[in-house]
Amino acid sequence: MESSDVELDLQRSVQAVLRELSAQAPALRNHQGMWRWSLHKKVERDPRKSPALVRILLRELEKAESEDLRHVIIPLLHTLMYVLTKATGITEELYQRTYTFCTRLLTLPTPYCTVALDYAIRLKTETAVPGTLYQRMVIAEQNLMNELYPYQERVFLFVDPELVSASVCSALLLEIEAAQVQQTPEACMRHVVSHALQSALGGACQAGALHRKLQASPRRSLERYFHAVVAAVEQMASEATPSRAGHLERLEEIYCSLLGPAAATRGRCGGDPLQDRPPSTPLPSPYITFHLWTDEEQLWKELVLFLRPRSQLHLSANLEALDLQGFQPDQEWARVSVLSTDSGIERDLPSGADELPAPSIPEGEHAGLQRKGGIKKRAWPPDFLMPGSWDGPPGLHRRTGRPSGDGELLPGVSRLHTARVLVLGDDRMLGRLAQAYHRLRKRETQKFCLTPRLSLQLYYIPVLAPEEPVASRQPKLGELAAFLGRMDPWYESTVNTLCPAIHKLAEMPPSLDTSRTVDPFILDVITYYVRMGTQPIYFQIYTVKIFFSDLSQDPAEDIFLTELKVKVQDSKFPREGCSPRRRGAAEGPGAELSLCYQKALLSHRPREVTISLRATGLVLKAIPASDTEVSGTPYCPSTATPVTDHMCLNVSVTEVTKSSNLAGRSFSTVTNTFRAANIQIQSQDQRLLTLLLDKDNRRTFRDVVRFEVAPCPEPCSRVQKSRESWVNSHGQKEMEMTKAKPKPLLMPINTFSGIVQ
């Protein structure tokens, strides 16, 4: 195919992606998500098309910038960076043009400047040392041990077997296993060496001969070349002003040692292009572990197992509190100091002291005054607090050689591990994820085990049940996915369209022909999402305290993320001293409820409202139902501040109204809505309530008489609690303590751009 035909074909594919984003062609909806995938597949099958695709994408980006078509900038930029990460033979001029474009985007508001800054940092290193992004990605994702780049990443895929069918689970597991069979450590090391040499040497590299030599190399020789290439790339990338010429010289030496000086000379003089056509160097999919979520503590256990091998080797002497075997709830770990009960002088010890002088020390030396370790201080920072988020506001340092949140939280410890937790399911699965996330944060306040060493990233792919008949249709279970799609169009186009594809994959019979290569579409989209989805949207978690009719039953506490639904039960509970109602009095449907809530005002001024009404049910939603209701549940990806600077619950009350006419009394219902920062609801008559959290029937509470809902606060460590109690007891800073509100607990879900305003 001629170069003009290649560019024309690539241009048509790029235009299809743009039309899909602009929603100008409804007929394209049947192929949503396929256009980007097919575009990357064209380049993967023929790497020589990469420079042409980079030029086309740059041209479209510059056009979108000049015409202020911002809705296509981030999708095109993600597509461009994904091509640059995998490609070889990209000229320095194309790298420089892309870097210059990213720097121009820094004047735009978030999320454009956030994404552009992330990519500008990566491109600066990639321009000087080509192949750095590919090498670091493969090393981290495949856990290839290397001292110069010790970072590790893993994707944990969680599926609830009660919410997702067995056929979907088995189809996903088979696709993941089939792809990982070919991704052995030896194959990944070959890819790293081949990609680095081709990126640096360009046309002087005999790709075919290099591929054959690496295939024939034994494991020990392959490891030697791999470590040599990694050392050359990392040492050059770590320099303040890396020299591309120096990098080329070092990799030429490795290339000559592989193929010999004669082969290197033929490469510089030019070889047979037909015989030495460059083979495709794939970017292996990340290492994914598949888990059926059957245990409440399963997420925490898997994260601990992920940390254990390396953490036990590199623990600092000051970190004896990091016990990966488990927690002792009654053991206080974060004491700032431990006071001794003695004077600290050895001769003042009682005669029955357990500690005796060592026999090798002369007796006369013990008569002198010596200090004993009376006060033991830990090396925590003086203002040691629980971090607000495991990775803070979205990392601008991701994929720049250092993981986001790389600053040492504790002496001698840095975050070398990144856990990408991907959940599949509907809103019920997200409610379960919120529970696990809350438990993790509470555990970390008792004893730091994961936070200092782990960057936790959360991802979500909706897997909804196929459409059911209207009579048996379940309530909407994909509200959060729909919200993410409205906030991030690229998430809508790339991730939300996976749902029907996953069900089609589950319905297909397994292929018995193992020799035929199949492009794993779903796995490729998952891989693209976890790699490029670096901008989180933060969601407020709400806590609910529940009181039951049985006074002997302790109040229950739980959390929810998306919805709390309240229904009035038919049963009643007896009350002592209550006189029976007059016979014939129309009691009416529903129950008499007392609502006390704080109105959600933009001014943040507290305004309490108390009302009584008869209602048949309530629904408290934490996810806005439309774009006009973006009211604070989600948070901006770069600053972790609310979109409209306030968060609230959208409360819908089905109120019962009574009317009188000639036929007698009649009752009708009307739905009233309002917004509240927190709310308390109590049944005033003998009717009991049933609560349903996050649409999950397994999280149902019956025989409820009262409940309270408020934003879930950030878990507080014992050090913070002791400091607050000490301040209150001494009467200092009392005004500040009363005015300060607890920091809310936010759960981040990664998207491609965050909230596009």
Side-chain angles (χ1 to χ4, degrees):
M1 187 180 293
E2 298 181 358
S3 104
S4 59
D5 296 334
V6 170
E7 292 196 8
L8 185 60
D9 179 57
L10 293 174
Q11 181 70 37
R12 284 196 294 263
S13 298
V14 172
Q15 290 299 324
V17 174
L18 294 176
R19 285 195 301 270
E20 179 183 325
L21 284 169
S22 302
Q24 295 178 358
L28 295 176
R29 294 187 180 274
N30 295 330
H31 303 281
Q32 277 190 331
M34 293 291 296
W35 301 109
R36 181 213 59 83
W37 179 77
S38 61
L39 180 64
H40 284 133
K41 279 298 174 181
K42 289 179 180 179
V43 178
E44 184 178 313
R45 295 187 184 110
D46 190 356
R48 295 174 299 176
K49 298 180 180 179
S50 297
L53 180 56
V54 171
R55 285 192 296 268
I56 292 172
L57 292 172
L58 272 174
R59 188 164 60 243
E60 294 295 336
L61 278 168
E62 292 166 351
K63 179 182 177 182
E65 181 192 21
S66 62
E67 298 179 1
D68 199 24
L69 302 175
R70 295 188 182 182
H71 66 284
V72 302
I73 288 180
I74 291 181
L76 286 178
L77 198 55
H78 282 310
T79 306
L80 174 60
M81 283 301 301
Y82 205 57
V83 175
L84 288 176
T85 301
K86 299 195 292 185
T88 58
I90 304 298
T91 62
E92 189 173 358
E93 181 264 338
L94 288 177
Y95 279 122
Q96 193 61 42
R97 277 182 61 190
T98 309
Y99 176 79
T100 303
F101 176 80
C102 289
T103 56
R104 291 202 303 268
L105 293 183
L106 297 181
T107 59
L108 297 179
T110 56
Y112 306 99
C113 62
T114 306
V115 177
L117 178 60
D118 186 10
Y119 285 155
I121 295 173
R122 303 189 201 184
L123 286 166
K124 189 173 184 180
T125 303
E126 185 72 10
T127 303
V129 189
T132 307
L133 296 181
Y134 179 95
Q135 174 177 292
R136 289 175 173 175
M137 187 176 290
V138 174
I139 290 176
E141 291 180 347
Q142 304 300 325
N143 299 156
L144 302 177
M145 300 303 179
N146 188 274
E147 294 182 357
L148 293 177
Y149 195 77
Y151 304 107
Q152 297 183 55
E153 297 181 3
R154 184 173 298 177
V155 179
F156 297 87
L157 179 59
F158 281 92
V159 178
D160 191 335
E162 297 185 26
L163 305 179
V164 179
S165 64
S167 59
V168 171
C169 294
S170 61
L172 289 172
L173 181 59
L174 288 174
E175 187 164 336
I176 292 172
E177 290 179 345
Q180 293 183 349
V181 165
Q182 302 175 354
Q183 296 176 187
T184 61
E186 293 83 359
C188 294
M189 286 189 286
R190 292 191 201 99
H191 296 332
V192 170
V193 174
S194 177
H195 188 275
L197 295 178
Q198 291 183 55
S199 299
L201 304 179
C205 177
Q206 300 181 49
L210 177 63
H211 178 74
R212 292 189 293 271
K213 178 66 176 178
L214 291 174
Q215 287 287 345
S217 298
R219 170 70 182 253
R220 181 170 299 180
S221 300
L222 185 60
E223 288 181 349
R224 185 171 68 252
Y225 290 124
F226 167 74
H227 289 295
V229 166
V230 172
V233 172
E234 289 300 327
Q235 290 175 5
M236 188 61 62
S238 63
E239 295 183 2
T241 56
S243 170
R244 191 162 186 170
H247 176 62
L248 177 61
E249 182 178 353
R250 296 187 66 177
L251 288 187
E252 275 186 342
E253 297 178 359
I254 300 174
Y255 179 70
C256 291
S257 65
L258 261 169
L259 298 183
T265 305
R266 287 197 303 271
R268 286 191 292 270
C269 296
D272 186 0
L274 296 178
Q275 184 179 0
D276 198 51
R277 179 177 177 177
S280 174
T281 303
L283 179 58
S285 60
Y287 183 72
I288 301 176
T289 57
F290 188 91
H291 306 274
L292 294 178
W293 203 336
T294 57
D295 181 11
E296 290 184 355
E297 302 297 333
Q298 189 170 355
L299 176 60
W300 177 78
K301 293 176 182 177
E302 295 296 338
L303 295 179
V304 169
L305 291 176
F306 175 45
L307 286 179
R308 179 174 294 174
R310 296 291 293 270
S311 60
Q312 289 181 344
L313 296 177
H314 297 282
L315 282 180
S316 169
N318 293 326
L319 297 178
E320 69 274 12
L322 297 183
D323 179 16
L324 297 183
Q325 302 298 328
F327 293 122
Q328 298 178 10
D330 56 343
Q331 179 181 0
E332 184 166 350
W333 64 275
R335 311 186 291 271
V336 178
S337 65
V338 181
L339 298 180
S340 174
T341 57
D342 59 74
S343 65
I345 302 176
E346 285 198 8
R347 75 176 184 185
D348 291 344
L349 290 175
S351 58
D354 294 337
E355 295 182 12
L356 300 176
S360 59
I361 301 177
E363 185 178 354
E365 295 186 12
H366 291 284
L369 301 182
Q370 297 181 7
R371 286 297 303 170
K372 183 176 179 289
I375 298 180
K376 299 179 182 179
K377 293 187 176 180
R378 303 207 184 262
W380 312 131
D383 295 328
F384 176 72
L385 296 176
M386 180 72 178
S389 174
W390 281 18
D391 208 23
L396 301 183
H397 310 291
R398 189 72 238 141
R399 305 252 180 242
T400 61
R402 301 177 187 274
S404 53
D406 182 58
E408 293 185 355
L409 296 180
L410 299 175
V413 178
S414 60
R415 284 176 174 161
L416 302 180
H417 297 73
T418 299
R420 305 190 183 278
V421 177
L422 172 65
V423 296
L424 271 66
D426 48 37
D427 291 342
R428 296 171 292 179
M429 184 63 173
L430 287 170
R432 186 166 189 178
L433 176 64
Q435 282 185 312
Y437 184 74
H438 181 249
R439 281 194 295 267
L440 283 174
R441 299 305 300 269
K442 289 187 68 175
R443 279 183 181 273
E444 292 298 294
T445 62
Q446 298 174 1
K447 181 185 292 187
F448 266 11
C449 175
L450 303 178
T451 305
R453 310 189 59 81
L454 181 70
S455 172
L456 182 65
Q457 308 286 323
L458 303 181
Y459 299 82
Y460 169 55
I461 292 181
V463 178
L464 308 178
E467 287 295 330
E468 301 174 353
V470 179
S472 59
R473 187 171 297 175
Q474 297 291 325
K476 292 182 179 179
L477 298 174
E479 287 185 303
L480 193 138
F483 175 82
L484 292 175
R486 293 196 305 270
M487 296 300 102
D488 184 356
W490 198 228
Y491 181 92
E492 172 69 24
S493 175
T494 306
V495 178
N496 276 349
T497 55
L498 268 185
C499 185
I502 291 176
H503 286 291
K504 288 181 181 178
L505 175 68
E507 294 172 358
M508 294 174 58
S511 176
L512 301 178
D513 186 6
T514 57
S515 62
R516 185 172 60 91
T517 58
V518 180
D519 291 326
F521 169 70
I522 296 177
L523 180 61
D524 284 351
V525 177
I526 290 176
T527 298
Y528 178 78
Y529 175 35
V530 298
R531 283 171 175 164
M532 312 307 288
T534 59
Q535 305 303 318
I537 296 178
Y538 292 85
F539 291 88
Q540 172 67 61
I541 297 176
Y542 286 87
T543 181
V544 53
K545 190 172 184 179
I546 305 168
F547 300 86
F548 301 95
S549 59
D550 186 358
L551 298 180
S552 62
Q553 187 174 357
D554 294 333
E557 290 191 15
D558 208 331
I559 63 169
F560 69 93
L561 180 69
T562 58
E563 178 184 288
L564 169 61
K565 192 171 184 178
V566 184
K567 291 183 178 180
V568 177
Q569 294 179 195
D570 295 332
S571 60
K572 301 179 180 180
F573 66 97
R575 286 187 177 180
E576 296 181 1
C578 290
S579 60
R581 288 180 175 268
R582 182 169 52 87
R583 181 177 298 179
E587 189 176 283
E592 288 289 340
L593 301 180
S594 173
L595 282 68
C596 179
Y597 65 94
Q598 181 178 330
K599 294 193 68 173
L601 301 175
L602 290 174
S603 62
H604 294 285
R605 295 177 179 174
R607 183 180 174 185
E608 298 287 343
V609 178
T610 302
I611 58 175
S612 295
L613 50 83
R614 176 167 288 274
T616 59
L618 300 90
V619 178
L620 285 67
K621 285 188 175 293
I623 305 297
S626 62
D627 298 341
T628 59
E629 296 182 13
V630 179
S631 58
T633 296
Y635 276 58
C636 288
S638 62
T639 60
T641 56
V643 176
T644 58
D645 200 27
H646 88 294
M647 54 190 169
C648 66
L649 288 165
N650 296 280
V651 184
S652 300
V653 183
T654 305
E655 185 179 359
V656 178
T657 60
K658 182 173 61 174
S659 61
S660 300
N661 49 35
L662 295 177
R665 293 180 178 179
S666 62
F667 299 91
S668 60
T669 59
V670 60
T671 301
N672 298 320
T673 60
F674 58 89
R675 296 180 178 182
N678 54 63
I679 190 170
Q680 301 177 16
I681 300 176
Q682 182 171 358
S683 176
Q684 296 292 343
D685 55 12
Q686 301 179 30
R687 296 286 186 180
L688 299 177
L689 307 177
T690 298
L691 307 188
L692 180 65
L693 303 183
D694 286 324
K695 311 170 189 176
D696 194 344
N697 293 327
R698 297 171 297 180
R699 301 175 61 196
T700 302
F701 296 89
R702 298 182 59 84
D703 300 334
V704 177
V705 294
R706 181 167 67 93
F707 65 93
E708 304 170 359
V709 178
C712 181
E714 182 76 35
C716 183
S717 67
R718 298 182 182 180
V719 173
Q720 292 169 266
K721 291 180 180 178
S722 61
R723 288 179 180 177
E724 291 177 5
S725 61
W726 184 87
V727 169
N728 288 334
S729 63
H730 287 72
Q732 299 176 3
K733 300 183 180 179
E734 189 170 349
M735 294 297 296
E736 288 80 354
M737 293 299 297
T738 55
K739 291 182 180 179
K741 294 183 178 179
K743 190 175 181 181
L745 177 61
L746 309 176
M747 188 178 77
I749 296 180
N750 278 20
T751 61
F752 295 101
S753 60
I755 297 178
V756 179
Q757 302 183 50

